[in-house]
Amino acid sequence: MAAVGFVGLGNMGGPMAANLVKAGHAVRGFDLAAPALERLGASGGRPGGSIADAVREAEFVVTMLPAGDHVRSAYGSADGILAAAAPGALLVDCSTIDVTTARDVSSLAADAGFEMLDAPVSGGVAGAAGASLTFMVGGSERAFARAEPLLSAMGRTIVRAGEAGAGQAAKICNNMMLGISMIGVCEAFALADRLGLDRQRLFDIASKSSGQCWSLTSYCPVPGPVPTSPANRDYQAGFTAAMMLKDLRLALGAALSADANVPLGAAATELYGLYCADGNAGADFSGIFKFVDGR
Ligand code: NAD
């Protein structure tokens, strides 16, 4: 059992912190939102009055914040984590943020004498609640080995991707593939409709042929073939289009700074931007089928 300071107790962080409590860890947490703190109390954790309060006595500090700026400020501000955490605490940022910020904050942490991991997740709110997340981890092998038992209380698959920033790199590369493949599958179904090809027939054939991919076989964007996919409940999220757009923008920013060519990533970012601006930010990302289909 370890003392854990948990900062950011929202849709993901709340259930993740609750799973740490369930596994026997002593969790002290902080969030700017009072209801999130109340939920931590109800799940058996101890709400703190500030970031410093939550992390001061922790052996592990876990953060699950919206974006890079929040992470920079939570770690680097005068009363933030680097100023308040106990010597020897291991810092684990599970937020999805840009690679540059992840590397910068990790190096600030090292300057302050702390080891740090970037450990973004996939699996969404259901994975956070069910402790079945996948963690993609960047940082030293030693820090990874130390964090692994803790991460196992919140997830099922824990993978070290490489040094600092590699977890974020893996996450955005994966999600760029997902955004592109989802739009590809949507276009194929829209074309099939116009050609008079039955959707189930296309699914049966493509899922056993070279068009096979997760967006088709596990998350099919048209109702029918995959009963659990959001298409069967009018594209209720799931993984929102806004989240997909956020991750695609991170991928595009990383591609620009690394001089990588990602023309399909750029096109996917543009399409998801239009889809979100059209009032669909809160819909599931597979709902882009209706947008691509155009009718
Ligand atoms: P959320 O908005 O529900 O939660 C973020 C929480 O951080 C909020 O409760 C907010 O009050 C708190 N917060 C912000 N600044 C703070 C500060 N300075 N101190 C303390 N608390 C602060 O977001 P979420 O859905 O939980 O996502 C968190 C992260 O996980 C994001 O980076 C997101 O991209 C990533 N993620 C989300 C999902 C998903 O399906 N929701 C899936 C994978 C990854």
Side-chain angles (χ1 to χ4, degrees), residues 82-136:
L82 298 182
L90 177 60
L91 315 178
V92 186
D93 179 38
C94 297
S95 327
T96 301
I97 63 169
D98 59 286
V99 177
T100 304
T101 300
R103 289 189 175 141
D104 286 354
V105 176
S106 163
S107 127
L108 285 177
D111 291 347
F114 294 102
E115 285 207 286
M116 180 162 185
L117 297 169
D118 50 291
V121 303
S122 85
V125 176
S132 61
L133 293 169
T134 293
F135 285 88
M136 296 154 247

Side-chain angles (χ1 to χ4, degrees), residues 16 38 41 60 68 99 140-141 143 164 171 180 193 209 254 263 274 292:
M16 288 164 71
E38 280 161 27
F60 294 92
V99 177
S140 75
E141 280 182 28
K171 165 88 185 176
I180 292 170
D193 282 353
S209 304
L274 291 169
V292 166

Side-chain angles (χ1 to χ4, degrees), residues 211-278:
Q212 189 274 336
C213 63
W214 186 91
S215 295
L216 175 70
T217 57
S218 296
Y219 216 81
C220 187
V222 297
V226 176
T228 51
S229 76
N232 299 292
R233 37 174 215 273
D234 200 21
Y235 302 101
Q236 220 178 76
F239 184 57
T240 62
M243 288 277 181
M244 175 50 81
L245 180 59
K246 173 192 166 183
D247 292 354
L248 284 168
R249 284 180 172 157
L250 289 174
L252 212 56
L256 281 174
S257 65
D259 201 20
N261 291 319
V262 291
L264 292 183
T269 309
E270 207 158 311
L271 279 172
Y272 272 104
L274 291 169
Y275 181 59
C276 287
D278 205 33

Side-chain angles (χ1 to χ4, degrees), residues 7-13 30-33 36 51 64-67 70 95-96 121 124-125 171 239 243 246-247:
V7 180
L9 301 160
N11 292 327
M12 296 292 289
F30 179 67
D31 194 290
L32 297 173
I51 290 182
M64 194 49 165
L65 295 163
H70 304 86
S95 327
T96 301
V121 303
V125 176
K171 165 88 185 176
F239 184 57
M243 288 277 181
K246 173 192 166 183
D247 292 354

